[in-house]
Amino acid sequence: MKIAPFKLERYFANYEFNTSFLLCTSDCESMSIGELLSLEKGSEDEFKNHWLGYTESQGNPVLKEEISRFYEKTSASEILVHSGAEEAIFTFMNAVLKYKDHIIVHYPCYQSLFEIAHSIGCEITKWEVKEENNWELDIGFLKENIKENTKAIIINCPHNPTGYLMSKEKLYEITNIAKHHNIFLFSDEVYRYLEYDEKDRIPAACDIYDNAVSLGVMSKTFGLPGLRIGWIATKNKESYNNMAAFKDYTTICNSAPSEFLSIIALKNKEKIIERNKAIVIRNLTLLDAFFERYSDFFTWVRPKAGSIGFPGIKTGVDIEKFCIDLVEKSGVLLLPGTYYDSNSRNFRIGFGRYNMPEALEHFHEYFKIQNNL
């Protein structure tokens, strides 16, 4: 397999751990092991005595049971635990797709959602969303681009990087199209449960379509990326088994400490999600005020879920040069839209962390100096 470099990850490798203010992070505020263990009485002693042998390749049964509580009609036996969402995407693409298959991908997106398929030799159609349409998915485009060799539709909602959240009606439209053509629906749902209004939450794809694969992870809504625990949920037993078999050639099984700590987090999911949602909503209010104040300079389609948005610059500034100048002069990191192979006007901004107000203030100071304001 030959696969193109992961642009976004190479960008973060250069800046993430030597920059003062990360204003484009995709995750929520994290916590220490001690803080996490304090949520569950007796867990500290359990953790100290936890066995460090091999774990079950499909995931700790207790962990799978806790994960299944995210779903209404999907059981623990239909959960396959991975080492992060990245591995889950990798196993799905390699276990389900083959050379010359066609996929339709919600775009812009995390590069793995199309690049791995491209490396296999699949044909890719980018289902591109536009800022002027509020990042809305066009169902007509989807219908027009289904082919005889279409194997899967790849969606991401809540969406990275825009914060777009489709309606329940639109999800059912997409699902019905997939059913009609008997094709897979791979649904990246890593920001699920971080909707600002719970009434806007859409069903998990795996609960409403047997050939759907729902993707989840501990990294985003929970803010625990260091655990490296992700999963897929699907009722398609053949695909499940194929993914499990392919995983034997990647990690085989997951980290025992990570699975233990994930169980603690999931048992206390309401507390963690409530904390992170409060941080996100507080910071989003600050962003609303900032972009309203500078509406002559920036565009801002307010997200409906998640901890990231995708504003744009109205002037003819090259966005990559803008972001690099910002980080070099003020220590504030933004992610240019070019790293999504998208246009050169938008940038990703992250607002899931406690220090986001300080990072925004430094960005504000830079912006005022650069524009003589």
Side-chain angles (χ1 to χ4, degrees):
M1 169 186 279
K2 291 185 178 180
I3 192 166
F6 204 129
K7 293 182 180 181
L8 182 151
E9 297 300 343
R10 292 300 88 214
Y11 180 80
F12 277 116
N14 287 333
Y15 295 108
E16 184 174 8
F17 294 101
N18 54 23
T19 299
S20 300
F21 301 102
L22 304 179
L23 194 53
C24 60
T25 54
S26 60
D27 56 344
C28 289
E29 185 71 25
S30 196
M31 61 178 67
S32 69
I33 292 174
E35 287 176 297
L36 180 55
L37 292 174
S38 71
L39 298 175
E40 188 76 12
K41 187 176 180 180
S43 63
E44 185 173 347
D45 287 337
E46 287 184 55
F47 187 52
K48 290 177 182 177
N49 293 307
H50 196 64
W51 187 251
L52 293 179
Y54 283 111
T55 62
E56 296 191 38
S57 62
Q58 295 182 16
N60 183 309
V62 178
L63 176 58
K64 292 173 67 175
E65 189 63 42
E66 289 298 329
I67 291 171
S68 72
R69 300 183 197 282
F70 279 114
Y71 308 105
E72 293 182 2
K73 300 177 181 179
T74 302
S75 67
S77 66
E78 296 163 326
I79 307 294
L80 180 60
V81 184
H82 290 76
S83 293
E86 180 71 273
E87 186 190 30
I89 297 169
F90 190 78
T91 59
F92 170 81
M93 297 289 179
N94 280 280
V96 172
L97 303 179
K98 64 181 185 302
Y99 180 65
K100 290 191 176 180
D101 278 344
H102 172 240
I103 66 169
I104 300 172
V105 185
H106 184 177
Y107 187 85
C109 63
Y110 194 58
Q111 190 173 338
S112 299
L113 294 176
F114 67 90
E115 196 69 69
I116 298 168
H118 183 261
S119 73
I120 295 168
C122 294
E123 179 186 351
I124 315 294
T125 295
K126 293 177 178 178
W127 189 6
E128 191 165 3
V129 293
K130 303 289 186 181
E131 186 177 22
E132 55 266 30
N133 296 326
N134 295 318
W135 308 117
E136 192 62 62
L137 285 164
D138 179 0
I139 294 295
F141 179 93
L142 176 63
K143 291 178 178 178
E144 291 167 6
N145 282 276
I146 300 285
K147 302 179 180 182
E148 288 186 4
N149 63 330
T150 303
K151 190 68 172 286
I153 300 166
I154 314 295
I155 57 173
N156 170 210
C157 209
H159 185 239
N160 173 359
T162 67
Y164 163 77
L165 180 60
M166 74 176 79
S167 66
K168 296 180 181 71
E169 293 75 18
K170 182 151 288 187
L171 175 63
Y172 279 104
E173 280 188 90
I174 295 169
T175 303
N176 288 335
I177 292 168
K179 284 180 181 178
H180 178 74
H181 294 279
N182 193 30
I183 56 181
F184 284 96
L185 177 63
F186 185 88
S187 179
D188 180 341
E189 301 167 0
V190 298
Y191 287 105
R192 197 158 177 262
Y193 282 82
L194 206 60
E195 302 85 3
Y196 312 146
D197 186 341
E198 290 184 15
K199 294 178 183 176
D200 292 333
R201 184 174 302 144
I202 60 177
C206 62
D207 280 335
I208 60 175
Y209 179 38
D210 288 351
N211 285 340
V213 177
S214 289
L215 176 71
V217 78
M218 297 302 298
S219 302
K220 306 304 182 185
T221 299
F222 282 88
L224 298 171
L227 293 182
R228 309 311 306 138
I229 292 293
W231 63 86
I232 61 94
T234 184
K235 295 184 179 300
N236 187 309
K237 196 63 179 176
E238 181 181 1
S239 297
Y240 181 103
N241 290 336
N242 288 342
M243 290 181 68
F246 191 87
K247 186 173 178 281
D248 292 339
Y249 285 96
T250 55
T251 58
I252 302 175
C253 63
N254 305 300
S255 158
S258 290
E259 289 197 326
F260 178 90
L261 293 170
S262 294
I263 291 168
I264 300 301
L266 289 168
K267 285 183 176 179
N268 294 275
K269 59 181 176 291
E270 289 83 6
K271 293 178 185 177
I272 298 174
I273 292 172
E274 182 180 353
R275 182 202 73 155
N276 288 343
K277 189 183 291 187
I279 296 169
V280 163
I281 291 174
R282 179 202 68 180
N283 290 342
L284 184 59
T285 301
L286 297 177
L287 286 179
D288 287 339
F290 177 85
F291 288 120
E292 182 178 0
R293 179 174 181 177
Y294 296 113
S295 58
D296 289 342
F297 295 89
F298 296 102
T299 58
W300 176 236
V301 177
R302 193 180 198 268
K304 288 188 175 181
S307 56
I308 51 177
F310 207 44
I313 296 181
K314 289 184 176 180
T315 62
V317 173
D318 181 283
I319 194 63
E320 190 163 347
K321 290 180 180 178
F322 173 83
C323 290
I324 290 173
D325 190 63
L326 171 66
V327 71
E328 290 179 349
K329 290 181 178 176
S330 67
V332 176
L333 188 66
L334 293 173
L335 178 65
T338 48
Y339 283 83
Y340 286 92
D341 279 339
S342 189
N343 63 63
S344 60
R345 195 176 65 79
N346 292 84
F347 58 92
R348 190 177 83 182
I349 195 162
F351 46 94
R353 296 191 180 182
Y354 279 133
N355 73 341
M356 180 271 182
E358 187 180 2
L360 182 63
E361 185 57 36
H362 281 264
F363 177 37
H364 190 189
E365 289 303 315
Y366 167 88
F367 183 74
K368 287 192 294 184
I369 291 170
Q370 293 300 117
N371 291 278
N372 299 311
L373 299 175

